[in-house]
Amino acid sequence: MADRSRRVAAWTAGALVVLAAPVSCGTGGGPPVASDRPSASAVPTSADSPRSAVPSESAASPGPGTRTETGHTRRPAPRCRTAGLSAAVGRMDPGAGQRNLPIVLTNVSSRTCTLHGYPGAAFVDAAGEQLGRDPKRAPGDAATVTLAPGGSAWAGLRYASPGVSGARAATPAALLVTPPDERDALRVPWRAGAVPVSGTSSSVFLTVLRPGSGP
C-alpha cells in the first residue's frame, strides 16, 4: 500500500512538471499569444519587396525629349529669321558670257537655326524701286542647312553678261536679299556693275541654298 502511494505521488509530481512547462515559455507569465505580425526575418527587404517589380521613373519608357542611357531626343533647330542674319555678295566668277556671284547668308545670332530652299532677291535703284523682274529658280534639290552661330550658307546668282546678250542693262544701287520663308529683306550694296533688266536674255537665276560661303 505504501508502494502504491509512492507511485501515485511520483506520477502526480511528473504531471505537474509537464503542465508547468508551457507556462515557463510565456513572456508575461500566461499562455503565449499568437501574433499576425511577421518576424523581422520574414519581412521582405527592398530587394525582395514586390515594389521592386514596378519600374521606377528612370526605368520607364522615355517620353518626348527625355534623356536616356543611349542618348536623348533633340528638337529641330528653329528657322533662321532675318533679324538674326547678315547678307553679302561674294566675288564674281565670270565665264563664257555668264556672271556668277554667291549670295551669302551668315548666322549672326547666338543660337543655331536652319535655312531651307531658295532666298529671294531683287535689284533696286537708289530710290528703292525694283530693276527688272524677280530672279527665276534654277532647278535643284532643296535641303535644310543648319547654321551654328557664325555659320554661313550661299546661293548662286547667275545672269548673262549684258554686253554679250544685248539685253537692256542698268546698274543697281543694292540687292535686296530675303531669307527663305521671311518677309523682311536684307539690303546689300551692289558693286558688280550693270545687270540685265529687260530684253533678250535678261533672266536672272538663283540656286538653292547650300552650306558654306561660296563654290
PDB file of all heavy atoms in Angstrom, residues 71-88:
ATOM      1  N   GLY A  71      21.135  58.151 -75.236  1.00  0.00           N
ATOM      2  CA  GLY A  71      21.056  59.443 -75.918  1.00  0.00           C
ATOM      3  C   GLY A  71      19.808  60.177 -75.497  1.00  0.00           C
ATOM      4  O   GLY A  71      19.145  59.806 -74.530  1.00  0.00           O
ATOM      5  N   HIS A  72      19.453  61.215 -76.198  1.00  0.00           N
ATOM      6  CA  HIS A  72      18.258  61.965 -75.882  1.00  0.00           C
ATOM      7  C   HIS A  72      17.631  62.506 -77.160  1.00  0.00           C
ATOM      8  O   HIS A  72      18.282  62.634 -78.174  1.00  0.00           O
ATOM      9  CB  HIS A  72      18.564  63.106 -74.908  1.00  0.00           C
ATOM     10  CG  HIS A  72      19.520  64.122 -75.434  1.00  0.00           C
ATOM     11  ND1 HIS A  72      20.894  63.947 -75.413  1.00  0.00           N
ATOM     12  CD2 HIS A  72      19.319  65.325 -76.008  1.00  0.00           C
ATOM     13  CE1 HIS A  72      21.486  65.003 -75.938  1.00  0.00           C
ATOM     14  NE2 HIS A  72      20.560  65.850 -76.322  1.00  0.00           N
ATOM     15  N   THR A  73      16.356  62.783 -77.055  1.00  0.00           N
ATOM     16  CA  THR A  73      15.606  63.291 -78.197  1.00  0.00           C
ATOM     17  C   THR A  73      15.899  64.774 -78.379  1.00  0.00           C
ATOM     18  O   THR A  73      15.783  65.556 -77.432  1.00  0.00           O
ATOM     19  CB  THR A  73      14.100  63.083 -77.987  1.00  0.00           C
ATOM     20  OG1 THR A  73      13.851  61.688 -77.805  1.00  0.00           O
ATOM     21  CG2 THR A  73      13.318  63.589 -79.190  1.00  0.00           C
ATOM     22  N   ARG A  74      16.258  65.163 -79.557  1.00  0.00           N
ATOM     23  CA  ARG A  74      16.561  66.563 -79.829  1.00  0.00           C
ATOM     24  C   ARG A  74      15.451  67.192 -80.666  1.00  0.00           C
ATOM     25  O   ARG A  74      14.983  66.595 -81.620  1.00  0.00           O
ATOM     26  CB  ARG A  74      17.890  66.698 -80.579  1.00  0.00           C
ATOM     27  CG  ARG A  74      19.090  66.322 -79.746  1.00  0.00           C
ATOM     28  CD  ARG A  74      20.356  66.594 -80.532  1.00  0.00           C
ATOM     29  NE  ARG A  74      21.547  66.292 -79.746  1.00  0.00           N
ATOM     30  CZ  ARG A  74      22.785  66.428 -80.197  1.00  0.00           C
ATOM     31  NH1 ARG A  74      22.979  66.861 -81.436  1.00  0.00           N
ATOM     32  NH2 ARG A  74      23.809  66.143 -79.442  1.00  0.00           N
ATOM     33  N   ARG A  75      15.090  68.362 -80.301  1.00  0.00           N
ATOM     34  CA  ARG A  75      14.117  69.095 -81.090  1.00  0.00           C
ATOM     35  C   ARG A  75      14.838  69.822 -82.216  1.00  0.00           C
ATOM     36  O   ARG A  75      15.957  70.291 -82.030  1.00  0.00           O
ATOM     37  CB  ARG A  75      13.383  70.093 -80.204  1.00  0.00           C
ATOM     38  CG  ARG A  75      12.528  69.415 -79.137  1.00  0.00           C
ATOM     39  CD  ARG A  75      11.876  70.427 -78.243  1.00  0.00           C
ATOM     40  NE  ARG A  75      11.054  69.777 -77.224  1.00  0.00           N
ATOM     41  CZ  ARG A  75      10.456  70.417 -76.240  1.00  0.00           C
ATOM     42  NH1 ARG A  75      10.610  71.735 -76.130  1.00  0.00           N
ATOM     43  NH2 ARG A  75       9.731  69.765 -75.358  1.00  0.00           N
ATOM     44  N   PRO A  76      14.213  69.916 -83.382  1.00  0.00           N
ATOM     45  CA  PRO A  76      14.889  70.579 -84.500  1.00  0.00           C
ATOM     46  C   PRO A  76      15.127  72.047 -84.215  1.00  0.00           C
ATOM     47  O   PRO A  76      14.360  72.700 -83.499  1.00  0.00           O
ATOM     48  CB  PRO A  76      13.910  70.391 -85.664  1.00  0.00           C
ATOM     49  CG  PRO A  76      12.586  70.129 -85.018  1.00  0.00           C
ATOM     50  CD  PRO A  76      12.871  69.409 -83.740  1.00  0.00           C
ATOM     51  N   ALA A  77      16.211  72.577 -84.781  1.00  0.00           N
ATOM     52  CA  ALA A  77      16.528  73.993 -84.604  1.00  0.00           C
ATOM     53  C   ALA A  77      15.478  74.848 -85.302  1.00  0.00           C
ATOM     54  O   ALA A  77      14.900  74.445 -86.308  1.00  0.00           O
ATOM     55  CB  ALA A  77      17.916  74.284 -85.169  1.00  0.00           C
ATOM     56  N   PRO A  78      15.200  76.040 -84.791  1.00  0.00           N
ATOM     57  CA  PRO A  78      14.200  76.910 -85.409  1.00  0.00           C
ATOM     58  C   PRO A  78      14.694  77.483 -86.732  1.00  0.00           C
ATOM     59  O   PRO A  78      15.885  77.441 -87.040  1.00  0.00           O
ATOM     60  CB  PRO A  78      14.014  78.018 -84.365  1.00  0.00           C
ATOM     61  CG  PRO A  78      15.319  78.063 -83.639  1.00  0.00           C
ATOM     62  CD  PRO A  78      15.795  76.644 -83.581  1.00  0.00           C
ATOM     63  N   ARG A  79      13.776  78.019 -87.511  1.00  0.00           N
ATOM     64  CA  ARG A  79      14.116  78.654 -88.779  1.00  0.00           C
ATOM     65  C   ARG A  79      14.904  79.940 -88.533  1.00  0.00           C
ATOM     66  O   ARG A  79      14.666  80.661 -87.568  1.00  0.00           O
ATOM     67  CB  ARG A  79      12.818  78.989 -89.526  1.00  0.00           C
ATOM     68  CG  ARG A  79      13.027  79.551 -90.918  1.00  0.00           C
ATOM     69  CD  ARG A  79      11.713  79.837 -91.598  1.00  0.00           C
ATOM     70  NE  ARG A  79      11.162  81.126 -91.245  1.00  0.00           N
ATOM     71  CZ  ARG A  79      10.005  81.307 -90.641  1.00  0.00           C
ATOM     72  NH1 ARG A  79       9.264  80.272 -90.309  1.00  0.00           N
ATOM     73  NH2 ARG A  79       9.555  82.509 -90.345  1.00  0.00           N
ATOM     74  N   CYS A  80      15.858  80.201 -89.391  1.00  0.00           N
ATOM     75  CA  CYS A  80      16.608  81.453 -89.300  1.00  0.00           C
ATOM     76  C   CYS A  80      15.695  82.620 -89.650  1.00  0.00           C
ATOM     77  O   CYS A  80      14.983  82.585 -90.660  1.00  0.00           O
ATOM     78  CB  CYS A  80      17.806  81.442 -90.247  1.00  0.00           C
ATOM     79  SG  CYS A  80      19.073  80.208 -89.872  1.00  0.00           S
ATOM     80  N   ARG A  81      15.732  83.656 -88.854  1.00  0.00           N
ATOM     81  CA  ARG A  81      14.950  84.855 -89.102  1.00  0.00           C
ATOM     82  C   ARG A  81      15.849  85.967 -89.639  1.00  0.00           C
ATOM     83  O   ARG A  81      17.056  85.980 -89.395  1.00  0.00           O
ATOM     84  CB  ARG A  81      14.268  85.336 -87.818  1.00  0.00           C
ATOM     85  CG  ARG A  81      13.505  84.241 -87.064  1.00  0.00           C
ATOM     86  CD  ARG A  81      12.480  83.523 -87.937  1.00  0.00           C
ATOM     87  NE  ARG A  81      11.404  84.378 -88.356  1.00  0.00           N
ATOM     88  CZ  ARG A  81      10.212  84.407 -87.781  1.00  0.00           C
ATOM     89  NH1 ARG A  81       9.935  83.614 -86.752  1.00  0.00           N
ATOM     90  NH2 ARG A  81       9.276  85.211 -88.232  1.00  0.00           N
ATOM     91  N   THR A  82      15.239  86.888 -90.346  1.00  0.00           N
ATOM     92  CA  THR A  82      16.013  87.967 -90.962  1.00  0.00           C
ATOM     93  C   THR A  82      16.852  88.721 -89.938  1.00  0.00           C
ATOM     94  O   THR A  82      18.016  89.060 -90.192  1.00  0.00           O
ATOM     95  CB  THR A  82      15.071  88.941 -91.683  1.00  0.00           C
ATOM     96  OG1 THR A  82      14.326  88.235 -92.680  1.00  0.00           O
ATOM     97  CG2 THR A  82      15.848  90.070 -92.350  1.00  0.00           C
ATOM     98  N   ALA A  83      16.273  88.965 -88.755  1.00  0.00           N
ATOM     99  CA  ALA A  83      16.974  89.752 -87.739  1.00  0.00           C
ATOM    100  C   ALA A  83      18.238  89.056 -87.235  1.00  0.00           C
ATOM    101  O   ALA A  83      19.135  89.724 -86.708  1.00  0.00           O
ATOM    102  CB  ALA A  83      16.040  90.035 -86.564  1.00  0.00           C
ATOM    103  N   GLY A  84      18.325  87.748 -87.409  1.00  0.00           N
ATOM    104  CA  GLY A  84      19.497  87.014 -86.931  1.00  0.00           C
ATOM    105  C   GLY A  84      20.500  86.686 -88.015  1.00  0.00           C
ATOM    106  O   GLY A  84      21.403  85.875 -87.795  1.00  0.00           O
ATOM    107  N   LEU A  85      20.354  87.310 -89.201  1.00  0.00           N
ATOM    108  CA  LEU A  85      21.223  87.016 -90.335  1.00  0.00           C
ATOM    109  C   LEU A  85      21.858  88.285 -90.890  1.00  0.00           C
ATOM    110  O   LEU A  85      21.308  89.382 -90.750  1.00  0.00           O
ATOM    111  CB  LEU A  85      20.431  86.324 -91.454  1.00  0.00           C
ATOM    112  CG  LEU A  85      19.821  84.960 -91.151  1.00  0.00           C
ATOM    113  CD1 LEU A  85      18.856  84.558 -92.269  1.00  0.00           C
ATOM    114  CD2 LEU A  85      20.909  83.898 -90.991  1.00  0.00           C
ATOM    115  N   SER A  86      22.992  88.097 -91.525  1.00  0.00           N
ATOM    116  CA  SER A  86      23.580  89.161 -92.342  1.00  0.00           C
ATOM    117  C   SER A  86      23.712  88.622 -93.760  1.00  0.00           C
ATOM    118  O   SER A  86      23.737  87.402 -93.971  1.00  0.00           O
ATOM    119  CB  SER A  86      24.951  89.584 -91.802  1.00  0.00           C
ATOM    120  OG  SER A  86      25.896  88.535 -91.948  1.00  0.00           O
ATOM    121  N   ALA A  87      23.769  89.509 -94.729  1.00  0.00           N
ATOM    122  CA  ALA A  87      23.867  89.105 -96.132  1.00  0.00           C
ATOM    123  C   ALA A  87      25.051  89.796 -96.786  1.00  0.00           C
ATOM    124  O   ALA A  87      25.416  90.925 -96.422  1.00  0.00           O
ATOM    125  CB  ALA A  87      22.573  89.428 -96.874  1.00  0.00           C
ATOM    126  N   ALA A  88      25.633  89.104 -97.748  1.00  0.00           N
ATOM    127  CA  ALA A  88      26.750  89.670 -98.501  1.00  0.00           C
ATOM    128  C   ALA A  88      26.749  89.057 -99.890  1.00  0.00           C
ATOM    129  O   ALA A  88      26.190  87.975-100.117  1.00  0.00           O
ATOM    130  CB  ALA A  88      28.074  89.391 -97.797  1.00  0.00           C
TER     131      ALA A  88
END
